[in-house]
Amino acid sequence: MKNIIIYYPFTIASNPKSGSAIRPVEMLKAFKVYAKKHGLEVIVISGTSKERRILWNKVVEKKKYKHTLFCYSENQTIPLWLTDPGHIPKDWKIDKDFFQTLKKHHVPVGVFYRDVYWKFDELYSLKGLKKFVMQTIYKMEEKFYGKYMHTVFLPSDAMGKYVNINTAKMALPPGGRFAEIFTNSNDIQQPFKGIYVGGINNDDYGLPTLVDAYELLNKDNVLGELVIVCREDEYTQLSNMDKEKLNKSYISLKHVSGAELQQVYEEVDFAFIPRKRSVYNDFAVPIKLVEYLTAGLPIIATDCSAQEDFIKSGPYGVITGDDAVSLVQGMQSIQPHFAEFKSNIQQSFLQKHAWNERAEQAAHALIGGKK
């Protein structure tokens, strides 16, 4: 029986919450759908280096790699060889043995290359010798992937120029869960209600600018309300001054997830991604973007290139500058197009951007129409 191999050099999260943990779980589900559709076996090799060695040995013993159509892999934000607990690998050779064998048998391999924050001094916290050593290992990882990969998948096309891997590159942004999209036919509420879900302890995420925008919007009358969903510990760590800024009649704070968050999504009109414009944010596609759209919510987002391209492809919302005045203009301009954006989300979002579609796109990049 022909097969596809999913290779994750880490343990798959049982209850993923962060974007980096959600993606491998959703892609695995999507490849299982793909495999069922085409009558293929899915072989999953994941876990610590020792666990991967045990699983790989079983594949080698039965020579299943001779029937492998392709392999899909993902890296993490630390180099491939340092993903074991304590960042000390128990089996240094497993990754090379695995990829080398697949290449020898002409099995196309693709890897989702998650991040290049280590190339930006303002983002990479390590200093001195530690920084030099780690950046050297990251560069070794790039060369390693250049040797063994057929295709490198990236969060966006814009990230490609920062990835020094000499092979084909393709954008494979996050996808939406294949569930019925809830979009009611109601008009926008008066006052309208927006939602922000995410971090509140980093100005780069843009929440302070969004709060300023609401203060500007509501200076005479309350025209809009804002729901902020964040982690409780992050709120606790805020200074009293920052907490006071959020203490407004038109702002409500919630610490919810899962089904409770879905309920909140149904009570609001649209969602915000107010990230500050930067070289790094220009190629980032936050997973919250597709979660908002899966919930049927139009989006007001700042003009970071990758998220702007994604939203305009619908269009699924409004793009603004990353200042308070521009965000207010975005809130005002979304209202005449509100029904149109909701309709676009309902009609085309999952057809173009579901996780299942991401698996199809990855498979096509690796093997074309061959099965």
Side-chain angles (χ1 to χ4, degrees):
M1 186 179 188
K2 291 184 178 180
N3 66 71
I4 58 177
I5 297 178
I6 308 301
Y7 188 82
Y8 290 157
F10 48 83
T11 300
I12 302 170
S14 56
N15 184 27
K17 292 183 179 178
S18 68
S20 59
I22 288 169
R23 182 185 186 101
V25 172
E26 294 297 332
M27 284 299 289
L28 177 55
K29 289 180 187 175
F31 276 117
K32 286 180 177 178
V33 172
Y34 176 90
K36 186 175 181 181
K37 176 180 172 184
H38 296 289
L40 305 171
E41 178 188 5
V42 176
I43 298 172
V44 181
I45 298 176
S46 66
T48 65
S49 57
K50 273 194 169 183
E51 290 167 341
R52 299 198 301 279
R53 174 65 73 183
I54 292 168
L55 293 167
W56 176 234
N57 283 347
K58 290 178 182 177
V59 173
V60 171
E61 184 183 337
K62 296 180 180 179
K63 297 185 177 178
K64 286 196 171 187
Y65 52 78
K66 290 188 174 182
H67 306 287
T68 301
L69 286 179
F70 65 86
C71 169
Y72 174 82
S73 181
E74 296 203 5
N75 80 337
Q76 289 199 313
T77 53
I78 56 175
L80 172 68
W81 308 284
L82 305 182
T83 57
D84 275 2
H87 306 310
I88 300 174
K90 303 295 184 186
D91 187 332
W92 280 96
K93 291 185 64 185
I94 176 58
D95 303 305
K96 183 179 180 181
D97 288 350
F98 173 78
F99 290 121
Q100 195 173 55
T101 302
L102 293 188
K103 184 173 183 179
K104 180 180 176 182
H105 289 86
H106 308 291
V107 176
V109 182
V111 63
F112 179 75
Y113 194 70
R114 189 175 307 282
D115 216 330
V116 288
Y117 73 101
W118 57 274
K119 295 192 177 187
F120 296 86
D121 288 339
E122 65 273 23
L123 298 175
Y124 198 40
S125 58
L126 292 183
K127 305 294 180 188
L129 182 59
K130 281 186 178 180
K131 179 178 178 179
F132 174 78
V133 170
M134 283 301 297
Q135 287 184 328
T136 300
I137 298 172
Y138 277 118
K139 290 172 184 176
M140 289 168 58
E141 184 185 39
E142 285 187 316
K143 287 183 180 179
F144 180 85
Y145 285 141
K147 185 174 182 179
Y148 294 112
M149 294 302 129
H150 174 285
T151 305
V152 173
F153 301 112
L154 304 170
S156 67
D157 285 325
M159 181 172 152
K161 65 182 178 180
Y162 300 99
V163 177
N164 188 27
I165 301 175
N166 188 26
T167 191
K169 300 181 184 72
M170 172 181 154
L172 199 71
R177 293 184 179 90
F178 231 130
E180 185 176 352
I181 292 180
F182 176 83
T183 51
N184 59 48
S185 57
N186 298 341
D187 292 332
I188 198 164
Q189 301 173 74
Q190 298 298 334
F192 57 74
K193 190 175 287 189
I195 188 170
Y196 169 89
V197 182
I200 62 171
N201 58 358
N202 186 337
D203 288 357
D204 197 47
Y205 297 146
L207 182 61
T209 308
L210 181 59
V211 170
D212 289 345
Y214 263 89
E215 187 170 356
L216 189 60
L217 174 79
N218 294 330
K219 66 180 187 298
D220 297 320
N221 300 299
V222 176
L223 301 178
E225 298 176 358
L226 175 62
V227 179
I228 299 172
V229 179
C230 63
R231 293 187 176 126
E232 190 168 5
D233 61 336
E234 284 194 11
Y235 177 72
T236 303
Q237 291 166 15
L238 287 181
S239 68
N240 290 333
M241 182 185 299
D242 286 336
K243 287 178 181 175
E244 188 59 33
K245 289 179 181 177
L246 303 179
N247 185 22
K248 308 288 184 183
S249 63
Y250 50 81
I251 295 179
S252 58
L253 273 155
K254 297 181 185 292
H255 312 297
V256 295
S257 60
E260 290 178 294
L261 178 55
Q262 293 302 317
Q263 179 61 44
V264 177
Y265 282 150
E266 293 178 15
E267 297 167 0
V268 301
D269 297 304
F270 50 78
F272 290 99
I273 305 178
R275 290 184 168 202
K276 288 294 184 182
R277 186 89 191 268
S278 68
V279 172
Y280 182 81
N281 282 344
D282 263 349
F283 59 73
V285 181
I287 203 160
K288 199 56 63 182
L289 186 156
V290 293
E291 292 197 353
Y292 288 153
L293 294 175
T294 302
L297 295 175
I299 297 174
I300 296 174
T302 48
D303 55 351
C304 301
S305 299
Q307 68 184 27
E308 178 178 5
D309 290 345
F310 196 117
I311 292 167
K312 281 185 173 179
S313 73
Y316 304 126
V318 170
I319 302 299
T320 79
D322 65 355
D323 58 280
V325 172
S326 296
L327 284 167
V328 171
Q329 291 170 346
M331 290 183 248
Q332 293 167 338
S333 63
I334 200 171
Q335 297 179 65
H337 304 284
F338 183 65
E340 174 195 344
F341 293 146
K342 288 209 297 184
S343 175
N344 290 346
I345 294 167
Q346 181 75 53
Q347 310 250 339
S348 73
F349 167 61
L350 284 181
Q351 285 71 22
K352 293 180 180 177
H353 301 292
W355 286 113
N356 290 2
E357 183 60 24
R358 295 291 181 251
E360 292 275 356
Q361 291 163 356
H364 194 269
L366 294 170
I367 60 171
K370 300 173 185 175
K371 296 290 185 295

